[in-house]
């Protein structure tokens, strides 16, 4: 007779020690990862150590690719798409992220205005008449205009707005499609243009106007229908918005859903269908920098005291639709800020931090020299010195 308490039931399965060990190790690794991620998120000092020593986000000047400039004083530098572009003696030389010259484009421009978006680069002669649209390694179109060009703006689809001065009107704004077809002109007789922006769907042109003819400064935003403008330019206004008196409008940028971010001297508003909503007020804060030149985000850099002779920079990145705010803190005073797409660069003098709109560090560049000029896209960065350009891949 079998002993009931000693004998195992016939249908009881044997424990698989290998599978058990794998499950235990997996759980331990998962717990470890969760702990590390929690520390990374919550502890700023630990995050700095992990970024530098484990994730290797810190790079030094000696470890980057360099482009050397032949004519330092005459070279003009910009970035677009995946290229660093150098204009010298009417040649636009294009370099990839390895520093290799990919192509050279002949353009009749000496003193350029650059504006890039997505794969497009607009180049115009500052206070001149020549203008180009470039995509990749090729000229898409070129044109000669009447008057003097003071500003250009390209949207992500290659539509371009050109602001022209020194005509019979105070300002003329001309708009072109991606093929170079001039769609229409709009004329401003008494106001100057602070900025222009084209919607992402190519349907609207927004113009920021400043009227200083009276005793008070009057800022207005005029939204033109591009479709209507092609039929009747004088009756193309979709709507307009008149800001409060003495609010100085500095910059505008179309966001998604045809919202317009408006940057004033005292804060940032969002304009949608002639209704303006304040999203950032800086009147009672020590703000170093303010920007709306990100996709669907605004940025404020606020200085806060961290000691008797020290200060931190609090970078607040706010979603212009949801109002959700992300925070990045640097224990130094920012000297300049650069923005493109969803990436921003924070210049601290001899180092620069590149962070995304989520408030996370992408890369940190440390130089032995003072950083004074940076060109960037969301793919590539050029640190421009007098005789060279150092390339950082994001």
């Amino acid at each position: 007779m079998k002993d009931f308490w000693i004998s195992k039931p016939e249908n009881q399965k044997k424990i698989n020690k290998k599978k058990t060990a794998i499950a235990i190790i997996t759980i331990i690794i998962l717990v470890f990862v969760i702990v590390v991620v929690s520390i990374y998120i919550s502890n700023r000092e630990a995050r700095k150590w992990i970024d530098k020593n484990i994730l290797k986000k810190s790079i030094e000047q000696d470890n980057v690719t360099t482009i050397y400039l032949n004519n330092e004083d005459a070279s003009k530098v910009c970035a677009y798409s995946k290229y660093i572009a150098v204009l010298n003696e009417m040649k636009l030389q294009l370099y990839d992220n390895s520093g290799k010259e990919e192509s050279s484009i002949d353009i009749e421009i000496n003193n350029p205005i650059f504006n890039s978006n997505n794969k497009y680069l607009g180049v115009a002669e500052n206070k001149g008449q020549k203008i180009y649209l470039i995509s990749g390694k090729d000229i898409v179109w070129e044109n000669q205009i009447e008057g003097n060009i003071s500003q250009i703006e390209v949207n992500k689809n290659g539509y371009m707005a050109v602001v022209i001065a020194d005509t019979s009107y105070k300002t003329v704004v001309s708009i072109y499609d991606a093929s170079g077809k001039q769609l229409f002109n709009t004329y401003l007789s008494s106001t100057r243009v602070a900025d222009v922006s084209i919607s992402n769907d190519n349907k609207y042109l927004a113009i920021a106007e400043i009227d200083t003819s009276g005793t008070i400064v009057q800022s207005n935003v005029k939204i033109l229908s591009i479709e209507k403008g092609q039929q009747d330019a004088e009756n193309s206004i979709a709507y307009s918005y008149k800001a409060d008196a003495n609010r100085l409008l500095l910059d505008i940028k179309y966001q998604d859903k045809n919202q317009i971010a408006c940057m004033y001297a005292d804060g940032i508003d969002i304009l949608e269908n002639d209704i303006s909503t304040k999203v950032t007020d800086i009147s009672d804060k020590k703000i170093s920098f303010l920007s709306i030149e990100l996709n669907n985000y605004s940025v404020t850099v606020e200085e806060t005291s961290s000691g008797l002779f020290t200060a931190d920079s609090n970078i607040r990145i706010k979603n212009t639709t949801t109002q959700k705010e992300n925070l990045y803190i640097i224990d130094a005073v920012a000297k300049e800020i650069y923005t493109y797409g969803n990436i921003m660069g924070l210049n601290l003098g001899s180092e620069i931090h590149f962070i995304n709109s989520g408030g996370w560090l992408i890369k940190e560049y440390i130089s032995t020299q003072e950083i004074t000029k940076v060109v960037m896209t969301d793919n590539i960065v050029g640190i421009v010195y007098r005789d060279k350009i150092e390339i950082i891949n994001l």
Side-chain angles (χ1 to χ4, degrees):
M1 181 176 179
K2 293 183 178 179
D3 190 331
F4 177 79
W5 300 105
I6 296 175
S7 300
K8 294 181 181 179
E10 292 182 1
N11 61 348
Q12 182 175 330
K13 295 181 179 179
K14 292 183 179 180
I15 296 173
N16 189 322
K17 293 182 179 180
K18 185 177 180 181
K19 288 184 178 180
T20 302
I22 292 173
I24 292 171
I25 292 171
T26 302
I27 291 171
I28 292 172
I29 293 173
L30 184 60
V31 170
F32 176 78
V33 170
I34 291 171
V35 170
V36 171
V37 170
S38 299
I39 293 172
Y40 184 84
I41 292 172
S42 60
N43 190 310
R44 185 153 63 101
E45 292 303 316
R47 183 163 61 247
K48 287 167 64 176
W49 188 89
I50 292 170
D51 282 340
K52 182 177 181 179
N53 296 287
I54 297 178
L55 300 179
K56 304 296 183 183
K57 291 184 178 181
S58 183
I59 55 174
E60 297 186 357
Q61 187 174 19
D62 295 337
N63 299 321
V64 296
T65 302
T66 301
I67 301 169
Y68 291 96
L69 302 175
N70 295 324
N71 189 346
E72 300 94 334
D73 296 330
S75 297
K76 310 296 182 182
V77 183
C78 73
Y80 76 100
S81 186
K82 58 183 180 180
Y83 300 109
I84 299 293
V86 180
L87 178 63
N88 190 8
E89 296 180 350
M90 296 191 179
K91 282 189 178 294
L92 190 70
Q93 296 166 295
L94 308 181
Y95 296 87
D96 65 14
N97 59 5
S98 67
K100 176 186 175 184
E101 184 178 340
E102 287 279 310
S103 183
S104 180
I105 303 172
D106 293 326
I107 58 175
E108 297 175 16
I109 287 178
N110 284 309
N111 185 22
I113 301 172
F114 294 119
N115 186 263
S116 66
N117 199 332
N118 198 10
K119 65 180 182 179
Y120 295 101
L121 172 68
V123 189
E125 184 74 44
N126 188 21
K127 298 182 180 179
Q129 291 77 45
K130 199 71 178 179
I131 189 164
Y132 294 83
L133 181 70
I134 295 167
S135 177
K137 303 176 186 178
D138 302 309
I139 296 173
V140 180
W141 58 265
E142 60 182 278
N143 203 350
Q144 186 95 10
I145 60 96
E146 294 182 5
N148 294 321
I149 299 169
S150 61
Q151 183 182 348
I152 60 173
E153 183 75 18
V154 180
N155 81 346
K156 68 177 185 179
N157 303 312
Y159 275 56
M160 184 188 294
V162 183
V163 181
I164 305 164
D166 301 328
T167 67
S168 56
Y169 291 86
K170 193 175 185 71
T171 310
V172 178
V173 180
S174 185
I175 187 161
Y176 297 82
D177 68 13
S179 69
K181 178 185 176 183
Q182 185 177 12
L183 302 180
F184 68 95
N185 289 337
T186 186
Y187 302 92
L188 289 76
S189 58
S190 60
T191 57
R192 69 176 180 85
V193 174
D195 197 19
V196 292
S197 185
I198 305 169
S199 63
N200 294 329
D201 60 8
N202 309 327
K203 290 183 177 181
Y204 298 101
L205 168 67
I207 303 174
E209 296 179 289
I210 308 294
D211 187 350
T212 57
S213 60
T215 56
I216 61 172
V217 174
Q218 181 59 58
S219 299
N220 306 308
V221 183
K222 186 183 293 181
I223 291 80
L224 308 181
S225 165
I226 293 176
E227 183 180 3
K228 289 181 179 179
Q230 296 176 70
Q231 308 301 321
D232 183 359
E234 292 184 0
N235 295 297
S236 61
I237 297 177
Y239 67 92
S240 59
Y241 173 77
K242 184 177 181 180
D244 293 341
N246 279 329
R247 290 196 76 194
L248 180 60
L249 183 57
L250 304 173
D251 192 12
I252 59 173
K253 180 176 172 60
Y254 260 106
Q255 310 285 325
D256 287 343
K257 300 179 181 179
N258 286 333
Q259 294 180 326
I260 305 172
C262 302
M263 187 175 85
Y264 295 88
D266 62 355
I268 295 171
D269 293 5
I270 293 295
L271 181 62
E272 184 175 13
N273 297 326
D274 74 6
I275 297 174
S276 183
T277 305
K278 184 176 289 294
V279 295
T280 303
D281 187 353
I282 66 169
S283 56
D284 59 346
K285 299 175 183 177
K286 190 176 181 180
I287 300 298
S288 305
F289 300 100
L290 194 65
S291 176
I292 56 173
E293 294 299 323
L294 289 174
N295 295 337
N296 304 312
Y297 286 87
S298 66
V299 184
T300 58
V301 181
E302 180 182 3
E303 286 185 27
T304 58
S305 176
S306 58
L308 188 58
F309 300 108
T310 58
D312 290 344
S313 292
N314 293 342
I315 295 87
R316 301 185 185 278
I317 310 153
K318 182 177 284 190
N319 186 298
T320 53
T321 300
T322 65
Q323 307 306 307
K324 180 183 176 182
E325 186 176 273
N326 299 312
L327 177 65
Y328 184 85
I329 302 174
I330 303 177
D331 51 358
V333 175
K335 298 182 180 299
E336 198 166 357
I337 183 171
Y338 316 97
T339 54
Y340 187 98
N342 283 317
I343 308 293
M344 65 207 77
L346 302 160
N347 185 349
L348 306 179
S350 60
E351 66 180 80
I352 184 165
H353 289 211
F354 297 97
I355 64 176
N356 61 24
S357 55
W360 299 108
L361 178 70
I362 300 171
K363 277 190 181 171
E364 174 190 29
Y365 167 80
I366 300 172
S367 175
T368 58
Q369 301 172 253
E370 189 78 6
I371 299 168
T372 58
K373 183 177 180 181
V374 175
V375 296
M376 63 181 289
T377 70
D378 45 16
N379 295 309
I380 191 170
V381 177
I383 310 295
V384 184
Y385 298 102
R386 184 176 180 273
D387 59 347
K388 62 184 178 180
I389 305 166
E390 295 185 341
I391 299 175
I392 302 168
N393 296 308
L394 297 179

